[in-house]
């Protein structure tokens, strides 16, 4: 297996005639269409691979291509606040890695896809049911009714009726995957995954009492087959692919030999999650002392043009009648912020009449703080870089610098 790593928003140089076939494959073209990866032919039979703002892995035959996070610890920290819209599925296969964080992300994606599937794409089919009762609720079955009478059951008739049922192979596979989630996360801090899985499992009533249940091997085969069908709706193929991946990953947790890969690759946009991670951490540190939110109100930058150019900061903190503005920037900080970042922050703070504002960047090493002083607008501006390994401690230090009523931070080692 050949492994190639590309840094998020970075490039890598590769050589070999086989790369041309990879770059022309439908799977790689799908990644290119989604702005995840791109490739360009270079000199001396070399190729340049570039990555966008996503992290993830994809398989192309015997080649594993990985987009790695640009800041150490970013994936682990931000996967904890994963939302369904934060990831995308691609056509390429991906390696199965049974590690706590990737497996948790996979489960979250599966639960989100199942919810979408149940909300409007659930597959059902008409099935014939042989029943008996005091009155015929369907087509009378004369031979069976005669048999009932012959046994002395004269108050019942046999009949056949046709009903819509969700007891089909795909739904049985999804139901089994949900059962694996419940069994795998039954205890510990991720108990909420079990609650979600139990709620979703109620949407497969007939499948739960199927007379022909699937074992894990059969369920994986059914789900993979459904995911490979070209005429399936996207919601159906995605939930099938993720159900297969969850069932395959479950075999790894039991130390069973496993070959193959997940039928889809998945990628996360960490840039979109960084804002939410910082906001939730600020809210947790200031709970009961300040109101923390996104831009619920978006005041105009120009009073005479109220329908355009509105302020849209990432984090608004209100405390004791004053307002603080924070903007989270998931990019490298080389000592000084970019001019455009500072201009944007000052525009936001002026619109909210904020006396203090800060830019928050990720750091791969240690906590960094720089005061830019008081701007011409009258707003005091700080720049912070916070390491993911000590996120709460670093942000508590930043909030104290801004004069917010957070408790004194404990030492990082604690």
């Amino acid at each position: 297996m050949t492994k190639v790593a590309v840094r998020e928003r970075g490039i890598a140089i590769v050589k070999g005639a086989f790369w041309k076939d990879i770059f022309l494959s439908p799977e790689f073209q799908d990644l290119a269409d989604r702005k995840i990866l791109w490739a360009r032919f270079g000199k001396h039979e070399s190729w340049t691979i570039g990555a966008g703002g996503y992290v993830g892995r994809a398989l192309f035959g015997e080649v594993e291509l990985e987009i790695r996070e640009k800041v150490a610890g970013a994936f682990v920290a931000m996967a904890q606040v994963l939302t369904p819209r934060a990831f995308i599925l691609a056509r390429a296969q991906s390696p199965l890695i049974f590690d706590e964080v990737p497996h948790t992300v996979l489960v979250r994606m599966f639960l989100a896809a199942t919810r979408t599937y149940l909300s409007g794409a659930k597959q059902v089919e008409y099935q014939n049911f042989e029943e008996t009762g005091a009155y015929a609720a369907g087509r009378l079955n004369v031979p069976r009714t005669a048999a009932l009478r012959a046994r002395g059951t004269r108050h019942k008739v046999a009949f056949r009726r046709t009903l819509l049922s969700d007891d089909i192979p795909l739904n049985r596979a999804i139901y089994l995957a949900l059962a694996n989630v419940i069994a795998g996360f039954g205890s510990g801090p991720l108990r909420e995954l079990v609650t979600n899985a139990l709620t979703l499992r109620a949407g497969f009533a007939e499948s739960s009492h199927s007379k022909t249940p699937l074992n894990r091997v059969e369920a994986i085969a059914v789900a993979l087959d459904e995911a490979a069908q070209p005429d399936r709706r996207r919601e159906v193929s995605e939930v099938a692919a993720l159900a297969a991946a969850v069932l395959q990953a479950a075999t790894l947790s039991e130390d069973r030999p496993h070959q193959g890969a997940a039928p889809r690759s998945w990628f996360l946009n960490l840039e979109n999650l960084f804002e939410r991670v910082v906001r939730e951490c600020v809210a947790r540190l200031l709970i009961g002392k300040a109101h923390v939110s996104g831009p619920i109100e978006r005041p105009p930058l120009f009073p005479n043009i109220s329908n355009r150019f509105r302020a849209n900061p990432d984090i608004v903190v209100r405390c004791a009648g004053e307002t603080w503005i924070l903007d989270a920037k998931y990019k490298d900080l080389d000592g000084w912020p970019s001019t455009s970042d500072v201009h944007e922050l000052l525009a936001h703070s002026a619109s909210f009449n904020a006396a203090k504002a800060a830019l928050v960047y990720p750091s791969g090493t240690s906590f960094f703080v720089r005061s830019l002083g008081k701007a011409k607008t009258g707003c005091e501006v700080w720049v912070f870089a916070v390491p993911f390994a000590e996120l709460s401690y670093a942000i508590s230090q930043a909030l104290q610098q801004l004069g917010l009523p957070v408790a004194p931070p404990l030492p990082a080692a604690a």
Side-chain angles (χ1 to χ4, degrees), residues 53-54 78 85-86 269-277 330:
Y54 293 85
M78 291 194 275
R85 293 183 180 180
N269 189 321
L270 298 183
E271 295 177 0
N272 295 342
L273 291 177
F274 183 58
E275 170 191 333
R276 183 179 175 189
V277 168
Y330 186 70

Side-chain angles (χ1 to χ4, degrees), residues 162-184:
T162 303
L163 297 173
L164 276 176
S165 173
D166 68 22
D167 186 18
I168 61 175
L170 173 60
N171 291 336
R172 291 179 219 144
I174 297 172
Y175 183 84
L176 183 58
L178 290 170
N180 275 275
V181 173
I182 295 168

Side-chain angles (χ1 to χ4, degrees), residues 28 146 195 217 226 233 286 337 351 374 384 392:
F28 190 88
T195 302
V217 175
E226 285 289 334
R233 291 178 57 178
L286 295 177
S351 297
K374 183 174 290 189
F384 302 106
S392 293

Side-chain angles (χ1 to χ4, degrees), residues 179-194:
N180 275 275
V181 173
I182 295 168
F185 294 91
S187 60
L190 297 174
R191 177 74 181 175
E192 107 268 349
L193 297 179
V194 176

Side-chain angles (χ1 to χ4, degrees), residues 52-116:
Y54 293 85
V55 297
R57 301 167 184 257
L59 290 177
F60 304 94
E62 293 299 313
V63 176
E64 178 184 330
L65 191 56
E66 177 187 5
I67 306 177
R68 292 178 177 172
E69 58 196 359
K70 64 182 179 183
V71 181
F75 173 72
V76 173
M78 291 194 275
Q80 308 307 317
V81 295
L82 177 68
T83 60
R85 293 183 180 180
F87 68 85
I88 57 175
L89 288 175
R91 291 177 57 180
Q93 293 184 328
S94 65
L96 282 170
I97 303 173
F98 188 74
D99 192 26
E100 180 179 357
V101 174
H103 187 59
T104 302
V105 171
L106 181 67
V107 169
R108 290 185 187 276
M109 289 192 298
F110 167 62
L111 295 178
T114 304
R115 191 175 297 108
T116 301

Side-chain angles (χ1 to χ4, degrees), residues 197-216:
L198 285 168
T199 302
L200 294 170
R201 197 170 64 166
F204 301 93
E206 288 90 357
S207 298
S208 63
H209 302 292
S210 176
K211 295 180 180 179
T212 55
L214 302 175
N215 59 40
R216 182 174 292 169

